[in-house]
DNA sequence: ACAAAAGTGTTCAAAATACACCCATGA
DNA sequence: TCATGGGTGTATTTTGAACACTTTTGT
């Protein structure tokens, strides 16, 4: 706000969403194929221009509504600002990117040009959208470890082995059901529903069903180390 | 980028810095007292308007140069976007906020209207700057736990008890020198210089001096839990 | 009865906290 | 030699990973 009204160059602020979901055993991101230049036939994150009467979060929710039912999005959080002057051709566009999650049991209707693409093999992405998508994946992976964000990937009720598959897909490596169960239980994130799921055709013991105790994001392991001393920790 | 050139309302993008330093045993933030409206006599974070040829990080470094010597800033990272439509009076301004750190041994020359204010008792802050400053503090606190970010608060060479004071001030609770030493050493963050500091007037054993092995930020405790299984963890 | 899947008990290892005690210096 | 701050050794606790074994089902 130093140089007040110096014939300011045009500036557009856009919001972009990396909407992630685990489908068919892999972590995927919602992309649409650009029909027109610039970057025709390359794949873009959904998003659009920030309007005058909304903040960035309201904006991304509105824009997303054009692609997926917003009620299906279980978590939205700011990721970062992308502002390289030439990040898109033409007039300058600064972008605020978001990480959004959709639980695995939902399969929203999508427009023709839109698809869930695996993060491990993205088709030619537009602009800087690949790095945004990968940043979203990294954020999700980190948060699976020290928050309850798993609730946003999972259906309302699930078995431990189903949850294990979600975590494995999102993290990119095999997670042990035993340990997953214990870690999440000790932290009080999981609560048993009392129900059990019927085993598959191959038999096997019926699996107990659980739900997440909370469905808003919270940090559950606040300090990895350097915790306050025991007496100051009490409250 | 949906509604392309619809007589767009004016939009300004500013960058703001929460510059933190530990001084006199407490964590402080650099603020300047506004002389003029709006919010005259309230305290603002330094910052200013994003220019056409720079990205947000370049911009904050440039703006900061007007307040403190940029070479004295040991760390800069994006915090978040603040975009409530009415966050400042007048034409709309979207802000990208940064967390910046200055090591405790430096005492940059400051303009007349600028001062280091304790985060625990901020004077009347302007606009939404208090929440930005507090967000910066929280980010710093979290990162002290799982990254090497301490390097950015400490002088190039220091004793463990000096480092303990920095961590205590930043975290807001007493940190044990013994454990601090061990945790940082085990992670390979600290290296001994071989030098010792002369004891104070009251005597006492001379303290060994250390330095941080690295002075760019790195995550040192990547997964609190749900680590990959041992065999997949190797590389 | 047996295979398959789920769940529990137990062991093991690592890492962090707590605390006691020893070390090196100034007065 | 004693008070003062610094450092090390060690015990305790917590937490997560690994693995063996039991439970419950379908065929």
């Amino acid at each position: 706000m130093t140089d007040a009204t110096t014939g300011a160059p045009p500036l557009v602020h856009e919001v972009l969403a990396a909407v992630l979901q685990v489908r068919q055993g892999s972590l995927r991101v919602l992309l649409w194929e650009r029909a027109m230049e610039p970057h025709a036939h390359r794949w873009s994150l959904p998003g659009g221009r920030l309007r005058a009467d909304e903040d960035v979060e309201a904006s991304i929710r509105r824009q997303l509504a054009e692609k997926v039912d917003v009620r299906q999005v279980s978590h939205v959080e700011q990721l970062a600002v992308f502002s390289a002057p030439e990040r898109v051709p033409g007039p300058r566009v600064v972008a605020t990117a978001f990480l959004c999650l959709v639980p695995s049991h939902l399969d929203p209707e999508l427009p023709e040009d839109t698809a869930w693409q695996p993060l491990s093999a993205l088709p030619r992405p537009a602009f800087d959208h690949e790095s945004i998508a990968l940043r979203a994946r990294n954020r999700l992976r980190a948060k699976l470890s020290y928050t309850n964000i798993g609730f946003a990937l999972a259906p309302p009720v699930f078995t431990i082995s189903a949850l294990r598959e979600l975590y494995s897909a999102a993290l990119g490596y095999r997670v042990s059901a035993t340990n997953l169960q214990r870690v999440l239980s000790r932290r009080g994130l999981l609560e048993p529903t009392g129900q059990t799921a019927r085993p598959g055709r191959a038999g096997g013991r019926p699996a107990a069903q659980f739900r997440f105790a909370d469905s808003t994001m919270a940090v559950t392991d606040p300090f990895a180390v350097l915790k306050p001393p025991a007496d100051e920790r009490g409250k």
Side-chain angles (χ1 to χ4, degrees), chain A residues 74-147:
Chain A
S74 46
H75 177 70
V76 172
E77 82 178 50
Q78 257 194 51
L79 202 53
V81 173
F82 293 80
S83 62
E86 303 294 334
R87 58 174 288 278
V88 302
R92 180 152 194 201
V93 181
V94 170
T96 299
F98 283 81
L99 162 63
C100 305
L101 299 174
V102 173
S104 65
H105 66 296
L106 298 177
D107 189 13
E109 293 272 318
L110 296 182
E112 253 306 311
D113 58 358
T114 301
W116 294 100
Q117 301 286 1
L119 273 160
S120 51
L122 288 177
R124 255 168 69 84
F127 315 120
D128 53 358
H129 291 195
E130 177 168 32
S131 61
I132 297 175
L134 294 178
R135 184 92 75 99
R137 183 186 64 180
N138 292 344
R139 175 77 66 88
L140 170 62
R141 286 180 173 176
K143 288 212 164 174
L144 281 173
S145 203
Y146 65 93
T147 72

Side-chain angles (χ1 to χ4, degrees), chain A residues 61-227:
Chain A
R61 289 182 187 275
R62 176 179 59 77
Q63 315 266 4
L64 231 40
E66 296 165 16
K67 301 281 177 184
V68 294
D69 183 343
V70 188
R71 288 167 304 182
Q72 314 211 329
V73 176
S74 46
H75 177 70
V76 172
E77 82 178 50
Q78 257 194 51
L79 202 53
V81 173
F82 293 80
S83 62
E86 303 294 334
R87 58 174 288 278
V88 302
R92 180 152 194 201
V93 181
V94 170
T96 299
F98 283 81
L99 162 63
C100 305
L101 299 174
V102 173
S104 65
H105 66 296
L106 298 177
D107 189 13
E109 293 272 318
L110 296 182
E112 253 306 311
D113 58 358
T114 301
W116 294 100
Q117 301 286 1
L119 273 160
S120 51
L122 288 177
R124 255 168 69 84
F127 315 120
D128 53 358
H129 291 195
E130 177 168 32
S131 61
I132 297 175
L134 294 178
R135 184 92 75 99
R137 183 186 64 180
N138 292 344
R139 175 77 66 88
L140 170 62
R141 286 180 173 176
K143 288 212 164 174
L144 281 173
S145 203
Y146 65 93
T147 72
N148 64 343
I149 204 168
F151 80 85
L153 294 177
V157 163
F158 48 84
T159 65
I160 296 298
S161 66
L163 191 63
R164 189 189 69 77
E165 276 159 32
L166 294 176
Y167 273 72
S168 296
L171 290 171
Y173 52 77
R174 205 157 302 284
V175 171
S176 134
T178 303
N179 296 333
L180 181 64
Q181 222 258 41
R182 280 192 235 224
V183 168
L184 299 186
S185 295
R186 180 170 19 213
R187 293 188 178 166
L189 303 193
L190 290 185
E191 40 189 47
T193 63
Q195 308 289 79
T196 59
R198 260 185 315 292
R201 50 237 151 277
R205 175 172 172 174
Q209 294 187 306
F210 293 82
R211 71 170 78 88
F212 273 95
D214 215 322
S215 54
T216 50
M217 211 210 17
V219 172
T220 56
D221 190 19
F223 301 92
V225 292
L226 303 178
K227 299 195 220 312

